[in-house]
Amino acid sequence: MLIRNATAIMTGRSGHGSELARAEGGDLRIDAAGRIAAIGRLQPEPGERVLDATDCVIYPGWVNTHHHLIQSLQKGVPAGINLPLLGWLDAVPYKLRGKFDAELLSLAAEIGMVELMLSGCTTIADHHYVYWPGMGYDPAQVLFDMAQRLGVRFVLCRGGATQQRAFELEDPNALPPETLEGIIQDVERLVHRYHDAGAESMRRIVLAPSTPNWSLHVDELRPTAAAARRLGIRLHSHLSETADYVSFCREKFNRKPVEFVADHDWLGSDVWFAHMVHLSPSEIAMLAETGTGTAHCPASNCRLGSGVAPAPALARAGAPVSIGVDGAASNEAADSLSEVHTCWYTHRAVGGADAVTVEDVIHWGTQGGARVLGIDNIGSIECGRAADLAVYALDQPRYAGLHDPAIGPVASGGRARLRWLTVQGRVVVEDDAIPGLDMSDLMARARRAVVRLNA
Ligand SMILES: [Zn+2]
């Protein structure tokens, strides 16, 4: 397949080589294995499918490293719309999670994945945390089935907890916690069934208790890390999202949160944490030294009033930075373009005009995500890489008048129309639509589900 005549190509690389202008050739060839075979000025070969990308710009497919797809049916809940993290957790995700069965989870996953795909996202890491003993359905099967149907790469971060949060103790409908043994047994089953460790993996499993602070007993942290390493999978969790993480670690252990997790073997290039808003310079240095990754979630952090993560400082120190949209209950615009646009704005607002560039946030959202997830052959446009590509048509007034069209999808915000989205060279979005998906039916099912969740 040949994609021809694009106005520009953003490569996902940082610094020099981040953008290929048309002068260098806006053509890109995809081989039969779904990899980028050539970039430049190319002529069609006999029998080759040709996609005309005139007036389009090509990006690497976005890599979303932190999400809670189940929350795609929990947007804008009035009881939580003006609350900070803790009150919001109690009022929205924890209040609603026990109402989800396989059907509702499948619909939430469909909504969230479709929303992401239509923004140009090709890899989704979902931190799914709703489990209880004897729950009667297998969330992994629901989520992997939907990802396979839609054709995206999917990383299941298997969450869960062995103890309840303080606010759950007063809730008569609170879900009973699991045992660590039960969680690890389930993760072993999932690894055996789904995990592909390859460089172009479509399916990964990650061990991901919801928080190291409150989801596990302290003496379970080290065995959890050991189990992940024995299984050859990554570790993920939330950390330092609010100042509560810092005060908890200081009051209980006289440590900073990153020091606390380091004490329990929870740092390394096989670990990434969502948020990392409240970090000290010494913690940033520890993350850089150990190669521990961050899923930066600027929109959710803004929405919940949690603060602004020092992502530019992490990147300058050499720590891996990626971007996650977080769950839609705390980010009603849980799509990749909204997220990177917010990211670009937020850091310039607080850090000055030289805090981040458009190329920086594209790098974090693509190659940065590939590094954090350890899926090495995605996230950038280079010969030999998997052809996960978002081809944007800048044909709305918002994108008219751009002197550098390449930066339009990020700098102008909004949702650029997606001419094509490919995953490993396979077209999964065409003309801004997912083949076989009835959008009005999806919207109707979502409305009915909201009624059901409020019953
Ligand atoms: Zn989260």
Side-chain angles (χ1 to χ4, degrees), residues 66-68 71 85 88 127 129 210 236-238 241 274-275 297 300 325-327 330:
H66 185 72
H67 205 341
H68 307 290
Q71 294 181 8
L85 177 70
W88 165 87
H127 192 183
Y129 53 81
S210 301
H236 177 55
S237 197
H238 295 95
E241 180 172 358
H275 301 302
C297 307
S300 172
V325 302
D326 206 5
S330 64

Side-chain angles (χ1 to χ4, degrees), residues 293-337:
T294 290
H296 177 33
C297 307
S300 172
N301 300 152
C302 288
R303 154 72 156 85
L304 291 170
S306 302
V308 177
L314 282 165
R316 273 197 304 277
V321 174
S322 66
I323 293 184
V325 302
D326 206 5
S330 64
N331 176 8
E332 280 74 8
D335 72 83
S336 293
L337 286 181

Side-chain angles (χ1 to χ4, degrees), residues 249-303:
C249 290
R250 187 178 54 233
E251 284 159 22
K252 267 194 111 163
F253 306 105
N254 198 27
R255 302 291 268 161
K256 294 171 181 163
V258 174
E259 295 169 346
F260 167 64
V261 295
D263 292 344
H264 299 277
D265 303 336
W266 265 76
L267 291 185
S269 58
D270 57 348
V271 186
W272 85 103
F273 292 104
H275 301 302
M276 296 303 221
V277 175
H278 298 270
L279 292 176
S280 65
S282 67
E283 289 176 291
I284 291 172
M286 288 174 78
L287 295 167
E289 255 164 51
T290 56
T292 307
T294 290
H296 177 33
C297 307
S300 172
N301 300 152
C302 288
R303 154 72 156 85

